[in-house]
Amino acid sequence: MSVRHDVVIVGGGGAGLRAAIAIAETNPSLSVAVVSKVYPMRSHTVAAEGGAAAVIKDNDSLEDHFRDTVGGSDWLADQDAVELFVNEAPAEMIQLEHWGCPWSREPDGTVAVRPFGGMNIERTWFASDKTGFHMLHALYQTSLKYSPIVSYDESFATKILVENGRCQGVSALDLRTGKVETILASALILCTGGAGRVFPFTTNGAINTGDGMAMAYRAGVPLKDMEFIQYHPTGLPGTGILITEASRGEGGILVNKDGYRYLQDYDLGKPVQVTDPEHPVKKSMELGPRDRLSQAFVKEMERGRTIPGPHGDFVLLDLRHLGEKKIDKKLPFVRELAKNYAGIDPVYEPIPVRPVIHYIMGGVDTDTDSATSLLGLFAAGEVACVSINGANRLGSNSLTELLVFGARAGRAAAIFATQNPDLDVEALEKQGADEQDRIARDFIRKEGGTERIATLRREMNETMESGAGIYRSERSLRDTCDKLMELRQRFSNLLIEDRSLTFNTELTSALELDFMLDVALAIGQSALARTESRGSHQRTDHPDRDDENFLKHSLAFHTDDGVRIGYKDVVITKWPPQERVYGK
Ligand SMILES: Cc1cc2nc3c(=O)[nH]c(=O)nc-3n(C[C@H](O)[C@H](O)[C@H](O)COP(=O)(O)OP(=O)(O)OC[C@H]3O[C@@H](n4cnc5c(N)ncnc54)[C@H](O)[C@@H]3O)c2cc1C
């Protein structure tokens, strides 16, 4: 038995909902399924605080947004994708306003923008410091008005169904009943978000386990640029809670244990006046890109200038000079988070912060229409790698990326589904039945086994941090890859104790760990093969950028013998690589 739609979207976050609306608008006769393992409003997009970048002000230009993004990417972004992205971004943001997103305003009523790291001019739109919440809300309520959009909430996709060289649907576990449903469709869009949970200390929600990446990878689609993992410089120690970059955009400064603005020692510009709350810090150190700031933290720690704490060393983010009025108006959520989770009121005390895993630049390899190499399979949002982010994403580009590429994926999938209505139903139903059997056999009814999910997950987390963190080397990466292979072996000896079919969280944790091990190994092997330093990928044994050999995307392919690494050229349309310089 199976259910049938024209397009199925896996993921109900920003990218998934934007894609669903685009399909309904492109061809209202198409039926669209949105499969999500949590209720859509619980997707990670809801947690985004700082804002979304798009050119809107007269003093800004598309060319500047292009240059900031390409430079920020350390020239690894595809310039055709970036051009298209910056061109389409403003219309998408205005469209979102028409759907009800309450963008914050300047006193004269125009849309307000704030500075963000690596952007040389203010261009980040925001809705106070709950931007993702408001964006997702606007998308969700808009999606409800299209009757062809059907939701499969709390439904966990486990496998992409491929027949005759075409993706034709997905198997999904209904978490309420434990039944594996076969959802058939002419096109599938993966919008499953990031994979931060392969690391121990992350801002990512517990659901960000790289499921879509692993599913695409197992179906033969390469994962691109997986070695590029973003650390955000200001996470709250011990919790993984993000203190948004907007706090630095509004003028917050970072100081070490001596109260010294240490970033001035790291080629990120000179200190500027920060005492006037009406004039935020511009083009200065704290607004350097995230990779450089996180690397500076490590150097500062090596010099013994950070503050030791129970959850690792930290530095201080000082907002006090902004004053209570501005903090309450522009950063109320930061104040709330700092008070509730660190017992600190930033109006009176600086906030302890340290780098935290935040975002994965890599993902499912797609073209600018979000199509993958597998016919009928598309991907958009954090799961995908188009790539506009290259070796380092600029903060606030990814919420806009969800809109631009979510919409493009929706339009392309709608056209593909309209042109390819026929499906191999019988063969697909057989595959669906096999998947149900696999899950029952390997997990729910599995006998024996001694390995605990939590132990394997912790060991995976630890080896990712120790071997594939802010700085890596051949030695550390080899150790990590060996460890991951060992964990993969041990996974087959997993102990499953919960046999229930209703909301079996032990089962979903096991499925997620299975996906994460694939993603982790793709990260490790891609990082091992890239013997240069670029953006967020810093090799202590290869400290320089090597354009001659590595101005190219890495592609991780799944094979029976493990990961195979290949490469693909970067698209350079108009701005040849240069030295990446900030703060000059
Ligand atoms: C704390 C935080 C703050 C951020 N702040 C900003 C910011 O200010 N500006 C900015 O530009 N970016 C920000 N980002 C990054 C940005 O928010 C994310 O990259 C983006 O929201 C991801 O959206 P998405 O639609 O791709 O995925 P998500 O919103 O993560 O949604 C993923 C969806 O996939 C579903 N899913 C996953 N696996 C499965 C499965 N196996 N079966 C079924 N469903 C599945 C989930 O249920 C969910 O609906 C932030 C990220 C974090 C973590």
Side-chain angles (χ1 to χ4, degrees):
M1 277 295 289
S2 58
V3 287
R4 168 84 199 253
H5 296 276
D6 295 302
V7 184
V8 57
I9 299 169
V10 182
L17 295 178
R18 182 65 191 88
I21 296 168
I23 299 164
E25 289 190 333
T26 304
N27 183 347
S29 71
L30 295 177
S31 140
V32 186
V34 179
V35 175
S36 177
K37 65 180 175 179
V38 296
Y39 279 102
M41 277 304 296
R42 288 176 169 265
S43 305
H44 190 66
T45 300
V46 82
E49 301 164 31
V55 173
I56 186 77
K57 297 290 184 192
D58 291 342
N59 63 351
D60 197 2
S61 74
L62 298 175
E63 182 64 19
D64 285 331
H65 193 185
F66 169 86
R67 285 188 163 246
D68 286 349
T69 304
V70 171
S73 82
D74 221 345
W75 276 269
L76 199 70
D78 284 333
Q79 296 185 9
D80 56 343
V82 179
E83 275 186 71
L84 191 154
F85 164 70
V86 300
N87 289 344
E88 293 183 12
E92 280 291 332
M93 298 288 283
I94 291 166
Q95 173 67 76
L96 210 64
E97 157 131 332
H98 295 169
W99 286 336
C101 185
W103 298 123
S104 292
R105 299 282 165 178
E106 307 283 9
D108 68 0
T110 57
V111 169
V113 285
R114 62 170 36 134
F116 239 68
M119 305 268 188
N120 278 313
I121 198 158
E122 296 91 332
R123 69 166 67 91
T124 297
W125 306 35
F126 55 99
S128 183
D129 57 0
K130 293 186 177 148
T131 307
F133 169 84
H134 289 296
M135 287 179 66
L136 196 58
H137 214 283
L139 289 167
Y140 186 58
Q141 68 190 13
T142 304
S143 75
L144 295 178
K145 79 178 189 202
Y146 295 99
S147 55
I149 301 177
V150 181
S151 294
Y152 290 77
D153 295 334
E154 299 187 322
S155 180
F156 187 113
T158 59
K159 185 177 184 234
I160 292 171
L161 302 178
V162 182
E163 194 61 42
N164 264 330
R166 250 179 72 198
C167 169
Q168 303 190 27
V170 69
S171 285
L173 176 75
D174 180 343
L175 298 177
R176 275 157 290 200
T177 62
K179 188 169 165 287
V180 177
E181 278 190 288
T182 307
I183 304 175
L184 303 183
S186 295
L188 166 60
I189 312 178
L190 289 171
C191 297
T192 49
R197 286 278 156 170
V198 298
F199 286 83
F201 182 53
T202 173
T203 62
N204 282 201
I207 58 171
N208 289 4
T209 48
D211 306 4
M213 293 176 197
M215 282 190 278
Y217 177 66
R218 291 174 187 180
V221 178
L223 299 180
K224 184 160 80 189
D225 294 340
M226 292 298 281
E227 61 273 43
F228 297 101
I229 307 285
Q230 178 163 83
Y231 278 80
H232 191 295
T234 57
L236 211 52
T239 67
I241 289 172
L242 177 76
I243 301 298
T244 172
E245 193 159 292
S247 52
R248 282 170 283 127
E250 297 297 344
I253 59 169
L254 283 166
V255 296
N256 66 14
K257 78 173 175 24
D258 306 317
Y260 173 67
R261 279 180 82 185
Y262 60 93
L263 290 173
Q264 60 193 289
D265 299 348
Y266 295 90
D267 286 337
L268 288 161
K270 298 185 178 57
V272 295
Q273 171 72 340
V274 293
T275 46
D276 179 356
E278 291 312 312
H279 294 92
V281 180
K282 266 170 71 175
K283 287 192 185 183
S284 88
M285 310 170 304
E286 279 84 4
L287 286 175
R290 292 173 179 177
D291 54 343
R292 296 278 171 89
L293 262 61
S294 298
Q295 289 151 19
F297 172 89
V298 175
K299 298 284 178 208
E300 204 60 10
M301 189 163 67
E302 286 168 1
R303 289 176 180 166
R305 304 202 300 197
T306 48
I307 306 159
H311 306 288
D313 277 33
F314 61 87
V315 287
L316 295 170
L317 174 64
D318 198 348
L319 306 180
R320 287 174 297 182
H321 50 279
L322 303 181
E324 186 166 12
K325 198 164 145 232
K326 180 163 180 175
I327 290 175
D328 281 347
K329 182 158 175 235
K330 296 283 187 64
L331 303 166
F333 195 41
V334 167
R335 189 174 187 192
E336 192 183 317
L337 289 171
K339 273 182 170 172
N340 290 345
Y341 294 95
I344 274 171
D345 186 344
V347 171
Y348 306 107
E349 286 167 282
I351 311 171
V353 289
R354 69 188 309 259
V356 58
I357 289 280
H358 185 54
Y359 184 88
I360 177 157
M361 272 66 78
V364 178
D365 177 29
T366 71
D367 66 15
T368 48
D369 282 326
S370 305
T372 71
S373 55
L374 175 61
L375 222 52
L377 181 69
F378 300 79
E382 193 169 337
V383 68
C385 181
V386 180
S387 137
I388 64 159
N389 300 310
N392 173 65
R393 172 184 75 105
L394 292 191
S396 76
N397 262 354
S398 100
L399 287 176
T400 318
E401 180 181 354
L402 306 180
L403 300 176
V404 170
F405 289 97
R408 292 184 75 82
R411 290 193 290 266
I415 293 168
F416 186 88
T418 310
Q419 290 168 348
N420 295 276
D422 298 330
L423 299 181
D424 300 290
V425 176
E426 209 174 308
L428 294 164
E429 286 187 344
K430 162 86 175 58
Q431 280 197 41
D434 289 349
E435 180 64 358
Q436 168 100 51
D437 290 348
R438 179 186 77 95
I439 295 199
R441 186 189 61 237
D442 292 356
F443 297 99
I444 302 173
R445 287 202 310 268
K446 184 170 185 297
E447 296 296 338
T450 54
E451 293 285 357
R452 296 246 167 222
I453 296 170
T455 310
L456 297 184
R457 193 173 49 211
R458 194 185 59 243
E459 289 185 28
M460 172 190 68
N461 285 163
E462 283 167 2
T463 195
M464 289 307 284
E465 176 154 277
S466 65
I470 297 179
Y471 285 95
R472 302 111 180 244
S473 68
E474 164 148 12
R475 174 96 194 266
S476 76
L477 288 163
R478 274 204 195 286
D479 288 350
T480 294
C481 291
D482 290 348
K483 178 73 187 180
L484 291 170
M485 300 288 273
E486 174 208 313
L487 294 172
R488 178 41 87 200
Q489 289 287 324
R490 286 165 57 193
F491 184 82
S492 52
N493 186 32
L494 203 63
L495 169 69
I496 302 269
E497 291 174 307
D498 189 346
R499 309 271 170 222
S500 64
L501 293 175
T502 309
F503 290 108
N504 183 340
T505 51
E506 191 180 28
L507 170 62
T508 44
S509 300
L511 292 167
E512 287 174 341
L513 176 60
D514 197 2
F515 287 143
M516 284 194 286
L517 286 170
D518 278 1
V519 171
L521 203 55
I523 294 171
Q525 292 288 359
S526 306
L528 189 57
R530 187 176 283 274
T531 49
E532 65 153 358
S533 289
R534 183 185 298 269
S536 66
H537 173 70
Q538 293 293 312
R539 292 272 304 245
T540 49
D541 47 351
H542 296 278
D544 297 323
R545 194 175 87 185
D546 175 2
D547 283 343
E548 203 157 305
N549 294 303
F550 285 104
L551 185 60
K552 54 191 183 186
H553 300 292
S554 29
L555 297 176
F557 293 88
H558 178 69
T559 73
D560 290 342
D561 305 325
V563 188
R564 176 172 69 79
I565 301 294
Y567 293 96
K568 173 172 167 178
D569 285 344
V570 173
V571 180
I572 309 247
T573 54
K574 58 180 184 185
W575 200 23
Q578 308 187 354
E579 195 193 343
R580 190 167 163 236
V581 185
Y582 287 94
K584 292 265 158 52

